[in-house]
Amino acid sequence: MKAASTSFETQSVEEIEIKLLLEAISLRYGYDFREYAVAPLRRGISAGMTGEGVPTISAYQERLLRDEGRAYADRLIEAGIKTTYVNYPGTIHGFFSLTRFLQQGLKANDEAAAVLGAHFGT
């Protein structure tokens, strides 16, 4: 009987955050770097973070997406659409779906459910 393998290929947190940052850049600016080699991108990201004084990849993601999210909410409000805008500083892109791992993801889900419940009367 062959023993089950206990080694798993896992990504580091940095690798995951770089992929999420690249997704944020793609969403914000339309540049798609996701097929590029990671090492040169990591050097470029590090240089950009240093130049802008951003301490972590997560903070860089938040900076890229926060302003666009706020601007979109403002446009909805100006158009007369009832809008609730909430910012969750220090979170990573995709935190909303990581409720088992990130307390802020659970909090965001609860808050969104409350707003939707109030709107739909449930």
Side-chain angles (χ1 to χ4, degrees):
M1 178 178 215
K2 190 174 183 180
S5 173
T6 57
S7 66
F8 296 96
E9 274 193 49
T10 58
Q11 293 179 321
S12 71
V13 171
E14 181 186 66
E15 289 170 330
I16 293 168
E17 287 193 331
I18 286 174
K19 286 181 181 180
L20 292 171
L21 176 62
L22 296 177
E23 182 69 24
I25 291 169
S26 178
L27 290 169
R28 174 80 190 265
Y29 300 109
Y31 301 122
D32 191 352
F33 296 105
R34 291 171 290 182
E35 297 299 320
Y36 284 57
V38 174
L41 288 173
R42 184 180 289 123
R43 287 191 297 274
I45 290 167
S46 294
M49 288 170 54
T50 301
E52 293 187 32
V54 181
T56 65
I57 294 172
S58 293
Y60 210 27
Q61 292 172 28
E62 196 264 336
R63 180 178 284 183
L64 285 172
L65 296 174
R66 177 197 60 223
D67 295 342
E68 185 172 281
R70 178 74 248 180
Y72 183 63
D74 289 344
R75 287 193 303 273
L76 292 173
I77 292 166
E78 289 168 8
I81 299 169
K82 187 174 179 176
T83 303
T84 302
Y85 172 82
V86 181
N87 184 37
Y88 297 90
T91 58
I92 62 171
H93 180 67
F95 80 101
F96 192 83
S97 63
L98 299 172
T99 57
R100 290 180 48 198
F101 308 105
L102 299 173
Q103 190 63 33
Q104 282 186 302
L106 186 58
K107 179 181 178 200
N109 274 261
D110 290 344
E111 290 175 357
V115 169
L116 291 170
H119 177 75
F120 291 109
T122 58

